[in-house]
PDB file of all heavy atoms in Angstrom:
ATOM      1  N   LYS A1407      -6.879 -72.564  80.832  1.00 88.00           N
ATOM      2  CA  LYS A1407      -5.556 -72.786  80.221  1.00 88.00           C
ATOM      3  C   LYS A1407      -4.563 -73.318  81.251  1.00 88.00           C
ATOM      4  O   LYS A1407      -3.755 -74.185  80.949  1.00 88.00           O
ATOM      5  CB  LYS A1407      -5.040 -71.495  79.581  1.00 88.00           C
ATOM      6  CG  LYS A1407      -5.774 -71.128  78.302  1.00 88.00           C
ATOM      7  CD  LYS A1407      -5.236 -69.826  77.726  1.00 88.00           C
ATOM      8  CE  LYS A1407      -5.958 -69.435  76.460  1.00 88.00           C
ATOM      9  NZ  LYS A1407      -5.463 -68.162  75.912  1.00 88.00           N
ATOM     10  N   ILE A1408      -4.630 -72.779  82.471  1.00 87.00           N
ATOM     11  CA  ILE A1408      -3.745 -73.273  83.535  1.00 87.00           C
ATOM     12  C   ILE A1408      -4.099 -74.727  83.876  1.00 87.00           C
ATOM     13  O   ILE A1408      -3.220 -75.567  84.054  1.00 87.00           O
ATOM     14  CB  ILE A1408      -3.822 -72.366  84.785  1.00 87.00           C
ATOM     15  CG1 ILE A1408      -3.259 -70.978  84.473  1.00 87.00           C
ATOM     16  CG2 ILE A1408      -3.061 -72.993  85.958  1.00 87.00           C
ATOM     17  CD1 ILE A1408      -3.500 -69.951  85.565  1.00 87.00           C
ATOM     18  N   LEU A1409      -5.404 -75.030  83.937  1.00 83.00           N
ATOM     19  CA  LEU A1409      -5.836 -76.404  84.202  1.00 83.00           C
ATOM     20  C   LEU A1409      -5.314 -77.361  83.132  1.00 83.00           C
ATOM     21  O   LEU A1409      -4.776 -78.423  83.449  1.00 83.00           O
ATOM     22  CB  LEU A1409      -7.368 -76.489  84.230  1.00 83.00           C
ATOM     23  CG  LEU A1409      -8.059 -76.286  85.556  1.00 83.00           C
ATOM     24  CD1 LEU A1409      -9.566 -76.195  85.358  1.00 83.00           C
ATOM     25  CD2 LEU A1409      -7.716 -77.376  86.540  1.00 83.00           C
ATOM     26  N   LYS A1410      -5.471 -76.978  81.870  1.00 81.00           N
ATOM     27  CA  LYS A1410      -5.010 -77.838  80.775  1.00 81.00           C
ATOM     28  C   LYS A1410      -3.497 -78.015  80.818  1.00 81.00           C
ATOM     29  O   LYS A1410      -2.991 -79.113  80.601  1.00 81.00           O
ATOM     30  CB  LYS A1410      -5.447 -77.268  79.433  1.00 81.00           C
ATOM     31  CG  LYS A1410      -6.924 -77.491  79.188  1.00 81.00           C
ATOM     32  CD  LYS A1410      -7.371 -77.034  77.830  1.00 81.00           C
ATOM     33  CE  LYS A1410      -8.798 -77.459  77.674  1.00 81.00           C
ATOM     34  NZ  LYS A1410      -9.750 -76.603  77.247  1.00 81.00           N
ATOM     35  N   ALA A1411      -2.774 -76.943  81.108  1.00 80.00           N
ATOM     36  CA  ALA A1411      -1.309 -77.013  81.179  1.00 80.00           C
ATOM     37  C   ALA A1411      -0.855 -77.910  82.327  1.00 80.00           C
ATOM     38  O   ALA A1411       0.193 -78.553  82.240  1.00 80.00           O
ATOM     39  CB  ALA A1411      -0.713 -75.619  81.328  1.00 80.00           C
ATOM     40  N   SER A1412      -1.641 -77.957  83.398  1.00 76.00           N
ATOM     41  CA  SER A1412      -1.267 -78.781  84.546  1.00 76.00           C
ATOM     42  C   SER A1412      -1.644 -80.244  84.346  1.00 76.00           C
ATOM     43  O   SER A1412      -1.327 -81.085  85.180  1.00 76.00           O
ATOM     44  CB  SER A1412      -1.920 -78.241  85.818  1.00 76.00           C
ATOM     45  OG  SER A1412      -3.324 -78.396  85.739  1.00 76.00           O
ATOM     46  N   LYS A1413      -2.330 -80.529  83.239  1.00 70.00           N
ATOM     47  CA  LYS A1413      -2.714 -81.894  82.880  1.00 70.00           C
ATOM     48  C   LYS A1413      -3.646 -82.540  83.897  1.00 70.00           C
ATOM     49  O   LYS A1413      -3.652 -83.761  84.073  1.00 70.00           O
ATOM     50  CB  LYS A1413      -1.489 -82.759  82.625  1.00 70.00           C
ATOM     51  CG  LYS A1413      -0.589 -82.197  81.529  1.00 70.00           C
ATOM     52  CD  LYS A1413       0.360 -83.221  81.018  1.00 70.00           C
ATOM     53  CE  LYS A1413       1.332 -82.757  79.976  1.00 70.00           C
ATOM     54  NZ  LYS A1413       1.218 -81.582  79.272  1.00 70.00           N
ATOM     55  N   ILE A1414      -4.435 -81.720  84.591  1.00 70.00           N
ATOM     56  CA  ILE A1414      -5.452 -82.248  85.495  1.00 70.00           C
ATOM     57  C   ILE A1414      -6.601 -82.756  84.638  1.00 70.00           C
ATOM     58  O   ILE A1414      -7.085 -82.053  83.751  1.00 70.00           O
ATOM     59  CB  ILE A1414      -5.931 -81.161  86.482  1.00 70.00           C
ATOM     60  CG1 ILE A1414      -4.782 -80.773  87.418  1.00 70.00           C
ATOM     61  CG2 ILE A1414      -7.139 -81.636  87.270  1.00 70.00           C
ATOM     62  CD1 ILE A1414      -5.100 -79.635  88.350  1.00 70.00           C
ATOM     63  N   LEU A1415      -7.034 -83.977  84.904  1.00 66.00           N
ATOM     64  CA  LEU A1415      -8.092 -84.588  84.105  1.00 66.00           C
ATOM     65  C   LEU A1415      -9.463 -84.220  84.655  1.00 66.00           C
ATOM     66  O   LEU A1415      -9.711 -84.337  85.853  1.00 66.00           O
ATOM     67  CB  LEU A1415      -7.923 -86.105  84.084  1.00 66.00           C
ATOM     68  CG  LEU A1415      -6.619 -86.624  83.484  1.00 66.00           C
ATOM     69  CD1 LEU A1415      -6.545 -88.135  83.621  1.00 66.00           C
ATOM     70  CD2 LEU A1415      -6.486 -86.209  82.025  1.00 66.00           C
ATOM     71  N   TYR A1416     -10.328 -83.780  83.758  1.00 66.00           N
ATOM     72  CA  TYR A1416     -11.719 -83.507  84.102  1.00 66.00           C
ATOM     73  C   TYR A1416     -12.518 -83.535  82.811  1.00 66.00           C
ATOM     74  O   TYR A1416     -11.971 -83.429  81.711  1.00 66.00           O
ATOM     75  CB  TYR A1416     -11.872 -82.172  84.834  1.00 66.00           C
ATOM     76  CG  TYR A1416     -11.549 -80.949  84.001  1.00 66.00           C
ATOM     77  CD1 TYR A1416     -12.558 -80.206  83.401  1.00 66.00           C
ATOM     78  CD2 TYR A1416     -10.232 -80.537  83.813  1.00 66.00           C
ATOM     79  CE1 TYR A1416     -12.257 -79.087  82.633  1.00 66.00           C
ATOM     80  CE2 TYR A1416      -9.930 -79.423  83.055  1.00 66.00           C
ATOM     81  CZ  TYR A1416     -10.946 -78.705  82.466  1.00 66.00           C
ATOM     82  OH  TYR A1416     -10.653 -77.602  81.705  1.00 66.00           O
ATOM     83  N   ASP A1417     -13.822 -83.695  82.930  1.00 65.00           N
ATOM     84  CA  ASP A1417     -14.706 -83.757  81.769  1.00 65.00           C
ATOM     85  C   ASP A1417     -15.032 -82.333  81.332  1.00 65.00           C
ATOM     86  O   ASP A1417     -15.849 -81.661  81.950  1.00 65.00           O
ATOM     87  CB  ASP A1417     -15.971 -84.532  82.126  1.00 65.00           C
ATOM     88  CG  ASP A1417     -16.929 -84.689  80.957  1.00 65.00           C
ATOM     89  OD1 ASP A1417     -16.636 -84.171  79.856  1.00 65.00           O
ATOM     90  OD2 ASP A1417     -17.980 -85.330  81.149  1.00 65.00           O
ATOM     91  N   ASP A1418     -14.392 -81.896  80.253  1.00 70.00           N
ATOM     92  CA  ASP A1418     -14.556 -80.534  79.748  1.00 70.00           C
ATOM     93  C   ASP A1418     -15.986 -80.260  79.280  1.00 70.00           C
ATOM     94  O   ASP A1418     -16.416 -79.117  79.222  1.00 70.00           O
ATOM     95  CB  ASP A1418     -13.564 -80.292  78.605  1.00 70.00           C
ATOM     96  CG  ASP A1418     -13.380 -78.824  78.290  1.00 70.00           C
ATOM     97  OD1 ASP A1418     -13.526 -78.004  79.209  1.00 70.00           O
ATOM     98  OD2 ASP A1418     -13.090 -78.501  77.125  1.00 70.00           O
ATOM     99  N   GLU A1419     -16.729 -81.315  78.964  1.00 74.00           N
ATOM    100  CA  GLU A1419     -18.110 -81.169  78.482  1.00 74.00           C
ATOM    101  C   GLU A1419     -19.111 -81.030  79.623  1.00 74.00           C
ATOM    102  O   GLU A1419     -20.209 -80.537  79.426  1.00 74.00           O
ATOM    103  CB  GLU A1419     -18.487 -82.365  77.595  1.00 74.00           C
ATOM    104  CG  GLU A1419     -17.592 -82.533  76.380  1.00 74.00           C
ATOM    105  CD  GLU A1419     -17.642 -81.336  75.432  1.00 74.00           C
ATOM    106  OE1 GLU A1419     -18.757 -80.829  75.175  1.00 74.00           O
ATOM    107  OE2 GLU A1419     -16.573 -80.892  74.989  1.00 74.00           O
TER     108      GLU A1419
END
Side-chain angles (χ1 to χ4, degrees):
K1407 287 179 180 179
I1408 294 170
L1409 270 171
K1410 285 184 174 131
S1412 66
K1413 302 197 183 345
I1414 294 175
L1415 299 176
Y1416 66 99
D1417 182 358
D1418 197 29
E1419 301 298 317

